[in-house]
């Protein structure tokens, strides 16, 4: 409100309302102070009703106006807030209101297949899905973290733009101990990171194999050469690679 009669006073008005801002960005309003009846006092401005994580600052009043800047963070809740702007000079107080609409910051989510089972020495395959949120159009770079020792992980493709899917392959060594291993898949874009958890169940190789040579015996002259045919015969579902070596020469 304003005073009456010839008492020095002022009025306060807030312009450029409502304002819409994406969380993590800033917006401005104009606060106009109009002197009445010869008012020459100094007006102190303050703002209340800000959403969580937002801050307010006023420029010095010049030619009867001040710029109110509202700065938000990426964690500021997306909502509509009514701001109360108060001007105080001595015992005089006047208020104005403004509307602030905060919209969500562009973001993304990440999900991964919950688990995979492999025989040590095999490859586990997972589907990694990146979902764009609130208009996100950035590129997400994928990586695996807390992988078991000796396990190599790679993604195809290694990055996802906006919404998309990548295939993650975990290649295990044949010496990996049979167990269930928990790990995470991380996605990062412009400093923002999201993670998803999964697991890898590893079982020991099954079955066995036999070796045979043909012929059993060879005769060779000094300085000559000969050869043998080595045959690996798997049994009981054996599917692992066999490393051959030669002794007794």
């Amino acid at each position: 409100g304003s005073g009456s009669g010839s008492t020095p006073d002022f009025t306060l008005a807030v312009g450029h309302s409502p304002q819409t801002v994406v969380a993590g960005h800033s917006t401005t309003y104009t606060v106009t102070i109009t002197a009445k009846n010869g008012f020459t006092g100094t007006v102190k401005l303050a703002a209340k009703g800000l959403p969580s994580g937002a801050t307010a600052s006023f420029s010095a009043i010049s030619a009867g106006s001040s710029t109110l800047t509202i700065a938000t963070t990426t964690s500021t809740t997306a909502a509509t807030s009514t701001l109360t702007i108060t001007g105080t000079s001595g015992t005089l107080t006047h208020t104005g209101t403004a509307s602030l609409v905060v919209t969500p910051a562009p973001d993304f989510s990440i999900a991964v297949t919950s688990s995979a089972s492999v025989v040590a020495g095999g490859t586990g395959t997972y589907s990694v899905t990146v979902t764009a949120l609130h208009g996100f159009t950035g590129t997400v770079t994928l990586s695996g973290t807390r992988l078991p020792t000796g396990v190599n992980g790679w993604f195809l493709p290694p990055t996802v733009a906006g919404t998309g899917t990548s295939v993650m392959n975990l290649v295990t060594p044949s010496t990996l101990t049979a167990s269930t291993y928990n790990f995470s898949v991380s996605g990062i874009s412009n400093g923002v990171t999201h993670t998803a958890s999964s697991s890898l169940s590893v079982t020991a190789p099954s079955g066995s194999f036999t070796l045979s040579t043909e012929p059993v015996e060879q005769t060779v002259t000094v300085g000559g050469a000969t050869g043998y045919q080595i045959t690996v015969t798997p049994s009981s579902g054996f599917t692992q690679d066999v490393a051959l070596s030669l002794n007794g020469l």
Side-chain angles (χ1 to χ4, degrees):
S2 60
S4 59
S6 60
T7 303
D9 203 349
F10 67 92
T11 61
L12 182 152
V14 183
H16 302 146
S17 176
Q19 289 281 33
T20 298
V21 62
V22 176
H25 294 266
S26 301
T27 190
T28 61
Y29 302 83
T30 298
V31 180
T32 301
I33 304 296
T34 303
K36 296 179 61 178
N37 303 324
F39 175 81
T40 58
T42 299
V43 178
K44 181 179 180 180
L45 298 172
K48 293 184 178 180
L50 301 173
S52 176
T55 59
S57 61
F58 294 89
S59 68
I61 298 174
S62 176
S65 69
S66 169
T67 298
L68 165 60
T69 300
I70 304 295
T72 67
T73 66
T74 54
S75 61
T76 298
T77 302
T80 299
S81 301
T82 298
L83 310 181
T84 299
I85 315 304
T86 302
T88 303
S89 180
T91 59
L92 300 175
T93 298
H94 296 291
T95 61
T97 59
S99 179
L100 174 68
V101 181
V102 179
T103 59
D107 201 354
F108 66 93
S109 65
I110 186 170
V112 60
T113 309
S114 60
S115 64
S117 299
V118 298
V119 175
T123 300
T125 301
Y126 300 78
S127 177
V128 181
T129 301
V130 175
T131 302
L133 303 174
H134 316 308
F136 175 81
T137 58
T139 297
V140 178
T141 301
L142 301 170
S143 63
T145 58
R146 298 189 297 114
L147 297 177
T149 301
V151 172
N152 293 316
W154 55 279
F155 296 83
L156 187 65
T159 61
V160 174
T163 293
T165 301
S166 175
V167 174
M168 178 180 68
N169 294 282
L170 296 184
V171 182
T172 65
S174 59
T175 55
L176 187 62
T177 302
S179 183
T180 296
Y181 300 90
N182 296 316
F183 66 93
S184 297
V185 175
S186 296
I188 183 170
S189 179
N190 293 325
V192 176
T193 301
H194 294 293
T195 62
S197 299
S198 189
S199 64
L200 175 67
S201 178
V202 179
T203 57
S206 60
S208 186
F209 66 92
T210 58
L211 284 180
S212 61
T213 61
E214 180 65 31
V216 174
E217 181 178 315
Q218 289 276 49
T219 300
V220 62
T221 58
V222 175
T226 189
Y228 297 83
Q229 177 69 42
I230 310 298
T231 302
V232 178
T233 303
S235 61
S236 302
F238 181 83
T239 60
Q240 307 306 300
D241 294 334
V242 177
L244 299 175
S245 61
L246 182 63
N247 295 301
L249 294 178

